[in-house]
Amino acid sequence: MTPTLAELMPEPPDEDSLYAAFSTWTEAQGIAMYPAQQDAVLELVTGANVILATPTGSGKSLVATAAHFIALAGGRRSFYTAPIKALVSEKFFALCDTFGAENVGMLTGDASVNPEAPIICCTAEVLANMALRQGRNADVGLVIMDEFHFYAEPDRGWAWQVPLLELPQAQFLLLSATLGDVSFFTQDLTARTGRPTALVSSGERPVPLYYSYVLTPLQETIEELLAGGQAPIYVVHFTQDSALERAQALMSINVCTREEKDRIAELIGDFRFTAGFGRTLSRLVRHGIGVHHAGMLPKYRRLVETLAQAGLLKIICGTDTLGVGINVPIRTVVFTGLSKYDGVRQRHLKVREFHQIAGRAGRAGFDEAGGVVVQAPEHVIANEKALAKAGDDPRKRRQVVRKKPAEGFVSWGEPTYDRLVGSEPETLTSQFSVTHSTLLNVIARPGDPVEAMRKLLLENHDDERTKRQHVRRAIAIYRALLAGGVIERLDEPDEDGRTIRLTIDLPDNFALNQPLSPMALGALELLDKEAPTYALDVVSVIESVLDNPRQVIYAQINKARGEAVAAMKAEGIEYEERMELLSDVTHPKPLAELLDAAYEIYKRGHPWVADYELRPKSVVRDMFERAMNFVEYVGYYQLTRSEGLVLRYLADAYRTLKRTVPDAARTEELDDIVEWLGELVRQVDSSLLDEWEQLRSGTDDDGAGIAPTPAGPPRVTANTRAFRVLVRNAMFRRVELAARRDWWALGDLDAADGWDADAWREALEPYFEEHTDIGTGPDARGPQRLIVEEQPGHWLVRQILDDPAGDHDWGFSADVDLAASDEAGEAVLTLTDVGQL
């Protein structure tokens, strides 16, 4: 068995023996260190801080591994931070392989594994809050900050700055391919830590890049690159829609040979594609074209990455998310534009953004060079083509009607390209901020909080004017905390040297994951456990503390406004009044008044929640009440291109329901909903829950030994409780459609079984002659309205309709095929009868 790096620790661990031991290990791995890597490791073994500013693909991860090794040898705890949980998790498993699981832990806010380990992987926010709470007393000996250019992110940059300010005892390794001028950081780190700070930089890439600006149409450009052996090609777009549209347009190119297509089909095997985008992706990848963006399901992104790594995808159309370390091999990057919408305005790419994306081209060990191609704007290409057609005849050239740029186009051209290629990344700018959480963390630490806060406010990286604003903000927060009785002044310092102390117990992770969860617990006590809507009300309380899935919220608003306009037109309401009334139409917000009142009350005793917004909404509840499965819900709101975001939200809701709702607040109906939600997520993409559940329960007594990830989702029928809910929802979906007399939608569900729209209408006509409507309330959808007879291989089910007379003698029956359900990942049923008992 190959020894872990931890087992190769030299005795004594001096500078020379540490460097020699690590070099021996790298050679055994078949790795020859580049000069910049050697320089960085040598600086680290001497105890210096290191800023490693080398291009993508130059092996910064190897230097980070060396830093962990050096810290471990010296008995110091090392912390690796990354901007997103997926990268933290990926690094955690990689370091477990390198150092042994017993030596590595992970903290992400919603997962904690082996937290006392000597090597910790965490998000930047976790370390920043630890630094605020403990300062120089924190057990942090070395800090590795990956993707350090996030220091300049407006919303999150504070978390990359705080450890630099509050952990003077630590040695730092800052990593990024696009840092720009870092002279400020070299001086600041040396002054704060008392260690020398070495800048190890190199513009020399292991795989050189060649840049070009082209005036050929995109399809022609790609055909030329394919013919020249420059695949895999990543075609960069700045919206998800344009990436997919481009991929579909490129289907006209014969990208792969017959043999390659057969290999793709073999590698795909029995991979489960769902309806909608899944079927589109299936057609694309079988043609050798991939799509990659954040709105996709994780399993689809992994499939695209797997096929690309096997050399089977020649073209991948994606967004600029590849700038944050995705695992796709690329020889050539093609930019379709040099401007993007950043959520506020349309603007040119920053130099850092351009180089972060361009740097993904060229694969070490595979390519001798990488290519970066920038397409001229479409109107420029069209004009050049028209001028070329006119030839050298001045009269014809004057007659050419020049195509104008699209409305809202941010003008760019070859000068913009030249500037982006030739410039250094912008200097990183400070994004320090002061919140309630900042003050509470500092007050919680031993020592004089006034002095600690003064240093933080006056010695951060902002300019003097901004520092004065921070001071005013801190004073206002302090006064609010004092007036609220959350803190109190002491006449004499206490045994820990505090002159101000908290009057409440502060949870360890109060500022991290779902910080409003404690408020949600209090709100649960306001609910009536006997109410028929209790279980769904609990879901609404939990949903209110989750981040808004913006695309879903926008889709719900658009849907609601569309329906409202139709209703108002039917009522004859004039246009001006319709527009005025529409401003009040928004997405569903169950329990909004109760939750807002609970929030205001909770805030009085816990003022830090003022940093966080309560967000009443209905996504899980909406899906359950509509009795829709995932595909139906995505289709209903036209969210095909954002289905990954929808599923991540559902997974977050499931995890929060599982860990937040106490046993005393649970009911059988609520447990049914939670089981249904978990199974729904697993069947669509089990990876979103597999790792979390392993981290919660798949460790041994020492917190090590993570269980291997299961291959694919479990059988949907294996979880009988959840499957019953899936069947109940499938049947109730038909109840809701029948209540609306939506025969066409019913026909879409059951036409294959002989129950088209006409058959449904004819079967239920006698019911509506006898009754005015079909109930769809809580009683109508309850388990008592569904009769299930379990038989080997199938279930016989009967859905009883809730009629106004209470006779309950009408309904419809179906046969549920268990094997087909396992294959589909959802309840597969065949309608057998509609009528009176």
Side-chain angles (χ1 to χ4, degrees):
M1 184 176 177
T2 305
T4 65
L5 187 51
E7 293 169 332
L8 299 178
M9 206 68 69
E11 285 292 342
D14 55 41
E15 294 176 13
D16 292 337
S17 62
L18 278 172
Y19 185 84
F22 187 74
S23 298
T24 300
W25 178 79
T26 58
E27 290 168 9
Q29 307 298 309
I31 300 170
M33 285 195 284
Y34 300 123
Q37 290 173 313
Q38 293 173 337
D39 291 346
V41 175
L42 282 169
E43 294 288 353
L44 287 167
V45 296
T46 65
N49 302 310
V50 173
I51 300 174
L52 184 57
T54 56
T56 302
S58 59
K60 289 185 284 294
S61 292
L62 187 68
V63 177
T65 302
H68 287 303
F69 177 65
I70 292 162
L72 191 64
R76 296 179 293 155
R77 293 185 83 200
S78 56
F79 283 70
Y80 167 89
T81 74
I84 59 176
K85 292 176 184 178
L87 288 179
V88 172
S89 177
E90 181 183 308
K91 183 62 68 173
F92 166 73
F93 286 108
L95 290 174
C96 283
D97 289 340
T98 303
F99 289 97
E102 69 280 2
N103 288 313
V104 186
M106 179 168 71
L107 299 169
T108 63
D110 60 0
S112 174
V113 182
N114 202 13
E116 303 304 320
I119 297 172
I120 295 292
C121 301
C122 62
T123 53
E125 283 81 359
V126 167
L127 181 63
N129 278 285
M130 184 183 298
L132 287 171
R133 180 81 69 98
Q134 300 174 32
R136 64 172 60 246
N137 296 318
D139 185 11
V140 179
L142 182 141
V143 174
I144 301 163
M145 306 192 85
D146 207 351
E147 307 287 353
F148 185 70
H149 53 273
F150 270 75
Y151 170 96
E153 285 289 306
D155 294 331
R156 301 182 62 201
W158 68 272
W160 274 259
Q161 182 173 163
V162 163
L164 307 182
L165 306 177
E166 294 295 296
L167 299 174
Q169 77 279 12
Q171 180 183 10
F172 284 88
L173 170 60
L174 311 182
L175 307 170
S176 176
T178 55
L179 285 177
D181 180 8
V182 294
S183 55
F184 168 81
F185 293 102
T186 58
Q187 297 167 15
D188 188 72
L189 270 176
T190 296
R192 290 179 190 275
T193 65
R195 300 170 182 268
T197 301
L199 170 61
V200 179
S201 63
S202 171
E204 200 175 315
R205 287 173 49 98
V207 179
L209 289 184
Y210 294 95
Y211 295 86
S212 59
Y213 180 83
V214 298
L215 292 162
T216 51
L218 180 60
Q219 187 151 324
E220 191 177 318
T221 300
I222 290 174
E223 287 177 339
E224 289 177 3
L225 290 169
L226 289 171
Q230 298 306 304
I233 303 165
Y234 196 102
V235 188
V236 182
H237 304 76
F238 295 98
T239 69
Q240 296 171 2
D241 286 357
S242 59
L244 179 57
E245 287 164 7
R246 184 73 63 188
Q248 292 173 311
L250 292 172
M251 286 281 283
S252 60
I253 301 176
N254 190 16
V255 173
C256 292
T257 65
R258 179 72 261 170
E259 180 186 356
E260 288 170 330
K261 289 179 181 178
D262 290 342
R263 287 180 59 205
I264 290 171
E266 182 182 351
L267 194 54
I268 289 174
D270 58 358
F271 182 90
R272 184 190 292 168
F273 291 96
T274 56
F277 174 75
R279 290 176 184 166
T280 301
L281 182 65
S282 178
R283 289 194 299 273
L284 289 168
V285 295
R286 293 176 196 278
H287 196 76
I289 299 172
V291 178
H292 199 289
H293 60 69
M296 293 166 60
L297 296 177
K299 68 177 183 181
Y300 291 154
R301 292 204 305 274
R302 284 196 309 276
L303 175 68
V304 168
E305 291 169 15
T306 300
L307 292 171
Q309 287 156 6
L312 296 173
L313 295 185
K314 304 298 177 63
I315 303 170
I316 301 169
C317 296
T319 58
D320 54 334
T321 51
L322 89 160
V324 191
I326 64 166
N327 192 17
V328 174
I330 301 161
R331 179 170 293 174
T332 307
V333 169
V334 176
F335 284 84
T336 59
L338 294 178
S339 64
K340 66 182 287 188
Y341 180 70
D342 63 6
V344 177
R345 62 188 175 89
Q346 193 79 19
R347 60 167 174 79
H348 289 149
L349 292 183
K350 296 177 180 176
V351 177
R352 171 169 292 103
E353 292 169 331
F354 177 78
H355 284 289
Q356 196 71 29
I357 300 167
R360 297 292 166 188
R363 302 165 297 172
F366 293 91
D367 301 324
E368 293 182 0
V372 179
V373 178
V374 176
Q375 288 285 129
E378 288 185 3
H379 70 280
V380 172
I381 294 172
N383 291 337
E384 288 295 323
K385 189 175 181 180
L387 289 169
K389 189 175 181 180
D392 295 330
D393 187 330
R395 184 178 61 83
K396 288 183 178 179
R397 291 177 71 87
R398 283 195 301 273
Q399 290 175 343
V400 170
V401 178
R402 308 261 177 156
K403 185 176 179 180
K404 295 182 179 179
E407 188 177 348
F409 176 77
V410 173
S411 179
W412 57 268
E414 197 161 6
T416 311
Y417 158 81
D418 290 335
R419 177 180 63 80
L420 290 174
V421 171
S423 301
E424 286 293 310
E426 297 85 358
T427 300
L428 296 173
T429 55
S430 171
Q431 301 294 336
F432 184 77
S433 63
V434 178
T435 65
H436 289 78
S437 301
T438 310
L439 261 72
L440 287 165
N441 269 315
V442 171
I443 291 170
R445 83 164 68 156
D448 183 357
V450 175
E451 177 59 20
M453 200 66 211
R454 187 195 67 78
K455 286 177 63 68
L456 191 61
L457 292 170
L458 300 182
E459 297 181 14
N460 62 70
H461 296 164
D462 280 337
D463 58 41
E464 293 305 315
R465 183 180 66 84
T466 308
K467 286 177 182 177
R468 287 194 293 272
Q469 293 174 351
H470 293 324
V471 170
R472 288 193 291 270
R473 166 80 171 149
I475 291 171
I477 293 172
Y478 168 76
R479 287 173 176 166
L481 293 172
L482 198 62
V486 178
I487 61 174
E488 62 182 8
R489 287 190 292 248
L490 301 176
D491 294 332
E492 298 290 336
D494 66 11
E495 62 274 13
D496 292 317
R498 297 186 183 92
T499 55
I500 302 168
R501 72 178 176 198
L502 297 173
T503 61
I504 57 173
D505 292 328
L506 204 61
D508 285 340
N509 61 348
F510 80 101
L512 293 175
N513 194 60
Q514 273 95 47
L516 294 179
S517 290
M519 187 229 75
L521 285 176
L524 292 178
E525 297 177 5
L526 303 177
L527 302 180
D528 179 2
K529 205 168 183 180
E530 302 304 316
T533 60
Y534 172 77
L536 287 172
D537 289 344
V538 172
V539 171
S540 293
V541 170
I542 296 303
E543 287 201 76
S544 73
V545 302
L546 301 177
D547 290 338
N548 278 350
R550 286 182 298 172
Q551 287 89 332
V552 183
I553 300 299
Y554 294 153
Q556 288 179 330
I557 293 171
N558 289 336
K559 191 83 168 176
R561 289 181 176 172
E563 291 171 353
V565 166
M568 286 187 278
K569 282 182 177 178
E571 293 175 22
I573 298 175
E574 295 298 324
Y575 175 80
E576 290 77 10
E577 187 179 354
R578 289 204 307 267
M579 293 302 99
E580 187 178 339
L581 291 171
L582 271 184
S583 62
D584 295 327
V585 177
T586 185
H587 62 284
K589 299 179 180 180
L591 308 182
E593 288 186 12
L594 179 146
L595 290 167
D596 287 342
Y599 175 76
E600 291 302 321
I601 293 169
Y602 187 79
K603 188 166 64 175
R604 292 172 196 166
H606 308 80
W608 68 82
V609 303
D611 296 335
Y612 308 98
E613 182 184 355
L614 191 71
R615 300 179 176 94
K617 56 186 162 295
S618 179
V619 178
V620 175
R621 181 171 186 159
D622 187 38
M623 180 183 287
F624 189 83
E625 288 184 323
R626 293 183 186 279
M628 288 180 172
N629 61 30
F630 182 77
V631 172
E632 290 169 340
Y633 194 76
V634 166
Y636 181 74
Y637 284 114
Q638 300 181 355
L639 291 163
T640 301
R641 295 176 187 178
S642 300
E643 60 184 10
L645 175 140
V646 178
L647 196 69
R648 281 192 292 275
Y649 174 84
L650 297 177
D652 284 345
Y654 170 73
R655 287 191 290 257
T656 308
L657 281 162
K658 287 283 281 189
R659 74 171 162 232
T660 301
V661 180
D663 290 342
R666 293 185 178 276
T667 63
E668 280 201 28
E669 187 180 357
L670 177 60
D671 287 343
D672 282 348
I673 293 173
V674 174
E675 286 298 311
W676 159 79
L677 180 59
E679 198 59 39
L680 181 146
V681 173
R682 284 188 199 92
Q683 294 302 322
V684 176
D685 190 337
S686 63
S687 67
L688 286 170
L689 295 182
D690 287 341
E691 186 177 297
W692 175 70
E693 290 177 344
Q694 289 169 42
L695 295 176
R696 290 177 70 240
S697 60
T699 59
D700 61 27
D701 292 338
D702 296 324
I706 301 299
T709 302
R715 291 184 301 110
V716 70
T717 60
N719 186 338
T720 305
R721 184 171 200 166
F723 187 63
R724 273 180 173 267
V725 180
L726 290 172
V727 171
R728 197 168 85 209
N729 282 359
M731 298 295 277
F732 193 73
R733 177 84 177 124
R734 289 160 172 82
V735 173
E736 287 197 313
L737 295 173
R740 297 204 301 268
R741 307 187 195 199
D742 191 342
W743 313 121
W744 293 109
L746 285 165
D748 286 343
L749 290 174
D750 299 307
D753 303 327
W755 292 89
D756 61 11
D758 290 337
W760 267 101
R761 182 190 297 109
E762 184 180 336
L764 284 175
E765 273 178 0
Y767 174 91
F768 284 112
E769 288 173 2
E770 184 179 350
H771 304 290
T772 56
D773 56 52
I774 297 174
T776 57
D779 185 57
R781 73 177 305 135
Q784 70 276 11
R785 296 283 172 261
L786 186 71
I787 300 169
V788 178
E789 182 183 335
E790 297 184 19
Q791 296 189 3
H794 68 118
W795 290 1
L796 299 176
V797 295
R798 176 76 177 177
Q799 176 70 53
I800 300 170
L801 300 182
D802 186 27
D803 61 86
D807 295 334
H808 300 145
D809 58 350
W810 273 83
F812 47 87
S813 302
D815 189 302
V816 182
D817 186 327
L818 302 187
S821 297
D822 283 333
E823 185 175 345
E826 61 185 23
V828 175
L829 54 85
T830 300
L831 196 70
T832 57
D833 178 60
V834 178
Q836 199 167 13
L837 293 175

